[in-house]
Amino acid sequence: MAEARPMAEVARTIAATVLSRDPGPMSAVPSLSHHVFAGSDVVVKVIEGGRHRRLDREVGLVERLPTGLTAPLLASGTERLGTSEFRYACYARVVGTAPGIGLPGVTATAARSLAEQAVERLLVLHAWQPPGVADRILREPLAHGGFVDRAGLLAAVGELGSDGRLAPPVLDGLAAIAAQAPPRARTGVPVHADCHWDNWLARDGQVLALLDFEWARWGEPLDDWFFLAAFSGPHLRTVLDVVAAATGLTPDELAAGCELREAAHLVSELRTGNPPPHRLRELDALTVGRRWWRWWR
């Protein structure tokens, strides 16, 4: 069983093999999908062999991404320790810290600078023309929880109306958002699709890397603009202003696109379980408060 061997020990063993030396002290890094451990110059992501395969997706992509977009990959593969098998990716450590969900403690000026740099890097990703292997990976089916098509979103909202968890104004608001959605999501550019501020590294005000490409797929730029703005806390308007200036999108286009994506993600979460109370508050702010339409009016 994988549990018989501490993951910290597994990560140290992998790092020592890849580096051909002792990696030194390594500390756990919070992650919802993998076990992640960071040393002074190396980061190891590891997962039990029988669990989900998103690390394989990430590895297949990061080897082919535009240079400098993410942390350099040192090695990846499978490691068998005793009777247990682990899949891993070993990265060179980029020395920086994540700005964090909501950009806590970040001034308005610093938030604008971080947003400008993040948008610049995402535009590089969106302009990337993936080679054959990466193109195939980006096209693989992925239950990402985002917007897929109008009919599917309308049907999902209709299902939620039967369980009594949502107030009528919220349900009406979700139905109105779904009704205004395009027939299908566009899939014209590579998107990260999870580029909230915990997945960036920065140091001294400089954005250094975008991490965690396990949810990357073909999509449209708004899939990324939504994540960048939605998790900016009090700096949402600043981030949207930066996106508008860099892309030429109108305020209406940004508001409608971000609103649709937040609705799709929240509906998906509601359908798969009971969300925490703050998710229900977000639904109210989305549908009744129309928060995406307030930032520029």
Side-chain angles (χ1 to χ4, degrees), residues 139-296:
R139 294 185 189 282
E140 289 174 355
L142 186 65
H144 53 75
F147 173 68
V148 176
D149 58 58
R150 181 200 299 153
L153 184 55
L154 280 169
V157 172
E159 290 176 17
L160 292 178
S162 64
D163 64 19
R165 284 183 294 172
L166 301 182
V170 172
L171 282 169
D172 290 345
L174 286 173
I177 293 169
Q180 294 299 314
R184 291 194 61 80
R186 287 182 285 180
T187 54
V189 302
V191 297
H192 183 276
D194 197 28
C195 54
H196 56 72
W197 291 102
D198 267 352
N199 279 338
W200 295 88
L201 289 178
R203 183 177 62 188
D204 297 329
Q206 298 299 306
V207 170
L208 304 175
L210 174 58
L211 307 178
D212 293 344
F213 277 79
E214 62 190 76
W215 292 105
R217 56 183 172 81
W218 284 102
E220 65 175 302
L222 270 162
D223 296 322
D224 283 339
W225 306 144
F226 159 69
F227 271 99
L228 201 65
F231 297 94
S232 295
H235 304 294
L236 181 144
R237 177 168 187 158
T238 295
V239 173
L240 289 174
D241 284 343
V242 168
V243 171
T247 64
L249 289 169
T250 68
D252 278 2
E253 289 170 329
L254 273 174
C258 290
E259 181 179 67
L260 171 61
R261 281 151 184 82
E262 184 170 21
H265 281 287
L266 290 173
V267 166
S268 176
E269 187 170 348
L270 276 167
R271 295 180 72 204
T272 56
N274 291 313
H278 73 273
R279 285 287 191 257
L280 297 178
R281 292 194 295 271
E282 289 170 4
L283 264 174
D284 190 73
L286 171 71
T287 55
V288 180
R290 304 300 303 277
R291 77 182 188 108
W292 289 103
W293 297 90
R294 295 200 312 266
W295 70 273
W296 59 275

Side-chain angles (χ1 to χ4, degrees), residues 69-104:
L69 188 60
T70 193
L73 180 68
L74 300 177
S76 65
T78 302
E79 182 81 9
R80 179 168 289 278
L81 299 173
T83 60
S84 299
E85 185 174 83
F86 305 90
R87 287 177 289 113
Y88 70 88
C90 193
Y91 294 91
R93 182 171 182 179
V94 176
V95 182
T97 58
I101 298 292
L103 296 177

Side-chain angles (χ1 to χ4, degrees), residues 61 128 130-140 218:
L61 292 172
W128 175 47
V133 173
D135 173 72
R136 189 191 73 241
I137 292 170
L138 291 168
R139 294 185 189 282
E140 289 174 355
W218 284 102

